[in-house]
PDB file of all heavy atoms in Angstrom:
ATOM      1  N   SER A 182     -17.841   7.384  10.126  1.00  0.00           N
ATOM      2  CA  SER A 182     -18.557   7.505   8.859  1.00  0.00           C
ATOM      3  C   SER A 182     -17.794   6.694   7.731  1.00  0.00           C
ATOM      4  O   SER A 182     -18.492   5.969   6.945  1.00  0.00           O
ATOM      5  CB  SER A 182     -18.635   8.977   8.402  1.00  0.00           C
ATOM      6  OG  SER A 182     -19.403   9.700   9.340  1.00  0.00           O
ATOM      7  N   LEU A 183     -16.472   6.728   7.698  1.00  0.00           N
ATOM      8  CA  LEU A 183     -15.757   5.999   6.646  1.00  0.00           C
ATOM      9  C   LEU A 183     -15.848   4.537   6.924  1.00  0.00           C
ATOM     10  O   LEU A 183     -15.932   3.736   5.945  1.00  0.00           O
ATOM     11  CB  LEU A 183     -14.274   6.403   6.699  1.00  0.00           C
ATOM     12  CG  LEU A 183     -13.918   7.839   6.193  1.00  0.00           C
ATOM     13  CD1 LEU A 183     -12.419   8.211   6.350  1.00  0.00           C
ATOM     14  CD2 LEU A 183     -14.392   8.014   4.733  1.00  0.00           C
ATOM     15  N   LEU A 184     -15.829   4.143   8.150  1.00  0.00           N
ATOM     16  CA  LEU A 184     -15.910   2.664   8.468  1.00  0.00           C
ATOM     17  C   LEU A 184     -17.334   2.103   8.048  1.00  0.00           C
ATOM     18  O   LEU A 184     -17.363   1.057   7.459  1.00  0.00           O
ATOM     19  CB  LEU A 184     -15.699   2.405   9.947  1.00  0.00           C
ATOM     20  CG  LEU A 184     -14.282   2.533  10.452  1.00  0.00           C
ATOM     21  CD1 LEU A 184     -14.278   2.533  11.985  1.00  0.00           C
ATOM     22  CD2 LEU A 184     -13.420   1.481   9.904  1.00  0.00           C
ATOM     23  N   VAL A 185     -18.360   2.877   8.267  1.00  0.00           N
ATOM     24  CA  VAL A 185     -19.733   2.477   7.921  1.00  0.00           C
ATOM     25  C   VAL A 185     -19.754   2.467   6.385  1.00  0.00           C
ATOM     26  O   VAL A 185     -20.328   1.477   5.827  1.00  0.00           O
ATOM     27  CB  VAL A 185     -20.808   3.431   8.460  1.00  0.00           C
ATOM     28  CG1 VAL A 185     -22.125   3.092   7.943  1.00  0.00           C
ATOM     29  CG2 VAL A 185     -20.883   3.318   9.989  1.00  0.00           C
ATOM     30  N   LEU A 186     -19.273   3.452   5.695  1.00  0.00           N
ATOM     31  CA  LEU A 186     -19.283   3.535   4.293  1.00  0.00           C
ATOM     32  C   LEU A 186     -18.572   2.336   3.670  1.00  0.00           C
ATOM     33  O   LEU A 186     -19.168   1.622   2.761  1.00  0.00           O
ATOM     34  CB  LEU A 186     -18.596   4.793   3.780  1.00  0.00           C
ATOM     35  CG  LEU A 186     -18.370   4.950   2.253  1.00  0.00           C
ATOM     36  CD1 LEU A 186     -19.702   5.085   1.539  1.00  0.00           C
ATOM     37  CD2 LEU A 186     -17.462   6.118   2.019  1.00  0.00           C
ATOM     38  N   CYS A 187     -17.388   2.000   4.148  1.00  0.00           N
ATOM     39  CA  CYS A 187     -16.597   0.942   3.581  1.00  0.00           C
ATOM     40  C   CYS A 187     -17.286  -0.391   3.884  1.00  0.00           C
ATOM     41  O   CYS A 187     -17.279  -1.359   3.057  1.00  0.00           O
ATOM     42  CB  CYS A 187     -15.155   0.909   4.123  1.00  0.00           C
ATOM     43  SG  CYS A 187     -14.251   2.336   3.558  1.00  0.00           S
ATOM     44  N   GLN A 188     -17.887  -0.532   5.040  1.00  0.00           N
ATOM     45  CA  GLN A 188     -18.682  -1.782   5.364  1.00  0.00           C
ATOM     46  C   GLN A 188     -19.816  -1.983   4.384  1.00  0.00           C
ATOM     47  O   GLN A 188     -20.013  -3.149   3.875  1.00  0.00           O
ATOM     48  CB  GLN A 188     -19.157  -1.779   6.798  1.00  0.00           C
ATOM     49  CG  GLN A 188     -19.831  -2.986   7.276  1.00  0.00           C
ATOM     50  CD  GLN A 188     -20.385  -2.919   8.657  1.00  0.00           C
ATOM     51  OE1 GLN A 188     -20.653  -1.781   9.165  1.00  0.00           O
ATOM     52  NE2 GLN A 188     -20.425  -4.045   9.413  1.00  0.00           N
ATOM     53  N   LYS A 189     -20.553  -0.925   4.130  1.00  0.00           N
ATOM     54  CA  LYS A 189     -21.650  -1.044   3.203  1.00  0.00           C
ATOM     55  C   LYS A 189     -21.198  -1.379   1.821  1.00  0.00           C
ATOM     56  O   LYS A 189     -21.884  -2.075   1.056  1.00  0.00           O
ATOM     57  CB  LYS A 189     -22.417   0.302   3.197  1.00  0.00           C
ATOM     58  CG  LYS A 189     -23.129   0.677   4.494  1.00  0.00           C
ATOM     59  CD  LYS A 189     -24.321  -0.256   4.810  1.00  0.00           C
ATOM     60  CE  LYS A 189     -25.065   0.249   6.062  1.00  0.00           C
ATOM     61  NZ  LYS A 189     -26.176  -0.719   6.334  1.00  0.00           N
ATOM     62  N   LEU A 190     -20.023  -0.868   1.371  1.00  0.00           N
ATOM     63  CA  LEU A 190     -19.495  -1.107   0.071  1.00  0.00           C
ATOM     64  C   LEU A 190     -18.698  -2.450   0.029  1.00  0.00           C
ATOM     65  O   LEU A 190     -18.081  -2.739  -1.036  1.00  0.00           O
ATOM     66  CB  LEU A 190     -18.648   0.057  -0.361  1.00  0.00           C
ATOM     67  CG  LEU A 190     -19.409   1.403  -0.611  1.00  0.00           C
ATOM     68  CD1 LEU A 190     -18.404   2.533  -0.839  1.00  0.00           C
ATOM     69  CD2 LEU A 190     -20.398   1.278  -1.792  1.00  0.00           C
ATOM     70  N   LYS A 191     -18.619  -3.128   1.192  1.00  0.00           N
ATOM     71  CA  LYS A 191     -17.871  -4.358   1.262  1.00  0.00           C
ATOM     72  C   LYS A 191     -16.380  -4.217   0.915  1.00  0.00           C
ATOM     73  O   LYS A 191     -15.820  -5.038   0.159  1.00  0.00           O
ATOM     74  CB  LYS A 191     -18.553  -5.461   0.386  1.00  0.00           C
ATOM     75  CG  LYS A 191     -19.961  -5.851   0.793  1.00  0.00           C
ATOM     76  CD  LYS A 191     -20.561  -6.934  -0.105  1.00  0.00           C
ATOM     77  CE  LYS A 191     -21.802  -7.445   0.499  1.00  0.00           C
ATOM     78  NZ  LYS A 191     -22.873  -6.425   0.823  1.00  0.00           N
ATOM     79  N   LYS A 192     -15.794  -3.238   1.583  1.00  0.00           N
ATOM     80  CA  LYS A 192     -14.347  -2.971   1.404  1.00  0.00           C
ATOM     81  C   LYS A 192     -13.743  -2.986   2.770  1.00  0.00           C
ATOM     82  O   LYS A 192     -14.298  -2.374   3.665  1.00  0.00           O
ATOM     83  CB  LYS A 192     -14.126  -1.708   0.670  1.00  0.00           C
ATOM     84  CG  LYS A 192     -14.784  -1.601  -0.725  1.00  0.00           C
ATOM     85  CD  LYS A 192     -14.478  -0.306  -1.449  1.00  0.00           C
ATOM     86  CE  LYS A 192     -15.433  -0.135  -2.650  1.00  0.00           C
ATOM     87  NZ  LYS A 192     -15.337  -1.185  -3.689  1.00  0.00           N
ATOM     88  N   SER A 193     -12.569  -3.639   2.848  1.00  0.00           N
ATOM     89  CA  SER A 193     -11.911  -3.629   4.191  1.00  0.00           C
ATOM     90  C   SER A 193     -11.263  -2.276   4.417  1.00  0.00           C
ATOM     91  O   SER A 193     -10.763  -1.630   3.469  1.00  0.00           O
ATOM     92  CB  SER A 193     -10.842  -4.704   4.184  1.00  0.00           C
ATOM     93  OG  SER A 193     -11.445  -5.958   4.006  1.00  0.00           O
ATOM     94  N   THR A 194     -11.076  -1.873   5.649  1.00  0.00           N
ATOM     95  CA  THR A 194     -10.538  -0.610   6.019  1.00  0.00           C
ATOM     96  C   THR A 194      -9.276  -0.745   6.884  1.00  0.00           C
ATOM     97  O   THR A 194      -9.204  -1.542   7.800  1.00  0.00           O
ATOM     98  CB  THR A 194     -11.548   0.245   6.860  1.00  0.00           C
ATOM     99  OG1 THR A 194     -12.807   0.076   6.271  1.00  0.00           O
ATOM    100  CG2 THR A 194     -11.134   1.709   6.937  1.00  0.00           C
ATOM    101  N   ILE A 195      -8.247  -0.013   6.532  1.00  0.00           N
ATOM    102  CA  ILE A 195      -6.916  -0.023   7.241  1.00  0.00           C
ATOM    103  C   ILE A 195      -6.627   1.364   7.742  1.00  0.00           C
ATOM    104  O   ILE A 195      -6.658   2.318   7.009  1.00  0.00           O
ATOM    105  CB  ILE A 195      -5.819  -0.524   6.320  1.00  0.00           C
ATOM    106  CG1 ILE A 195      -6.076  -1.934   5.758  1.00  0.00           C
ATOM    107  CG2 ILE A 195      -4.508  -0.502   7.136  1.00  0.00           C
ATOM    108  CD1 ILE A 195      -5.062  -2.333   4.763  1.00  0.00           C
ATOM    109  N   ALA A 196      -6.409   1.517   9.026  1.00  0.00           N
ATOM    110  CA  ALA A 196      -6.023   2.781   9.647  1.00  0.00           C
ATOM    111  C   ALA A 196      -4.500   2.966   9.423  1.00  0.00           C
ATOM    112  O   ALA A 196      -3.681   2.163   9.893  1.00  0.00           O
ATOM    113  CB  ALA A 196      -6.385   2.870  11.073  1.00  0.00           C
ATOM    114  N   GLU A 197      -4.137   4.076   8.883  1.00  0.00           N
ATOM    115  CA  GLU A 197      -2.659   4.355   8.651  1.00  0.00           C
ATOM    116  C   GLU A 197      -2.115   5.226   9.748  1.00  0.00           C
ATOM    117  O   GLU A 197      -2.808   6.084  10.320  1.00  0.00           O
ATOM    118  CB  GLU A 197      -2.478   5.080   7.370  1.00  0.00           C
ATOM    119  CG  GLU A 197      -2.771   4.337   6.113  1.00  0.00           C
ATOM    120  CD  GLU A 197      -2.444   5.070   4.812  1.00  0.00           C
ATOM    121  OE1 GLU A 197      -3.075   6.034   4.477  1.00  0.00           O
ATOM    122  OE2 GLU A 197      -1.292   4.750   4.283  1.00  0.00           O
ATOM    123  N   GLY A 198      -0.825   5.167  10.025  1.00  0.00           N
ATOM    124  CA  GLY A 198      -0.157   6.044  10.911  1.00  0.00           C
ATOM    125  C   GLY A 198      -0.534   5.892  12.413  1.00  0.00           C
ATOM    126  O   GLY A 198      -0.556   6.859  13.093  1.00  0.00           O
ATOM    127  N   VAL A 199      -0.869   4.643  12.833  1.00  0.00           N
ATOM    128  CA  VAL A 199      -1.237   4.466  14.149  1.00  0.00           C
ATOM    129  C   VAL A 199       0.079   4.409  15.067  1.00  0.00           C
ATOM    130  O   VAL A 199       0.971   3.550  14.790  1.00  0.00           O
ATOM    131  CB  VAL A 199      -1.970   3.135  14.391  1.00  0.00           C
ATOM    132  CG1 VAL A 199      -2.339   2.908  15.888  1.00  0.00           C
ATOM    133  CG2 VAL A 199      -3.176   3.105  13.499  1.00  0.00           C
ATOM    134  N   GLU A 200       0.236   5.321  16.038  1.00  0.00           N
ATOM    135  CA  GLU A 200       1.403   5.469  16.766  1.00  0.00           C
ATOM    136  C   GLU A 200       1.261   5.316  18.254  1.00  0.00           C
ATOM    137  O   GLU A 200       2.294   5.069  18.958  1.00  0.00           O
ATOM    138  CB  GLU A 200       2.085   6.868  16.464  1.00  0.00           C
ATOM    139  CG  GLU A 200       2.485   6.973  15.032  1.00  0.00           C
ATOM    140  CD  GLU A 200       3.156   8.398  14.832  1.00  0.00           C
ATOM    141  OE1 GLU A 200       3.243   9.151  15.762  1.00  0.00           O
ATOM    142  OE2 GLU A 200       3.600   8.521  13.687  1.00  0.00           O
TER     143      GLU A 200
END
Side-chain angles (χ1 to χ4, degrees):
S182 300
L183 290 176
L184 289 170
V185 171
L186 172 67
C187 292
Q188 183 181 29
K189 294 289 185 182
L190 293 174
K191 295 181 170 55
K192 303 181 192 304
S193 298
T194 315
I195 302 173
E197 293 187 282
V199 180
E200 297 185 352

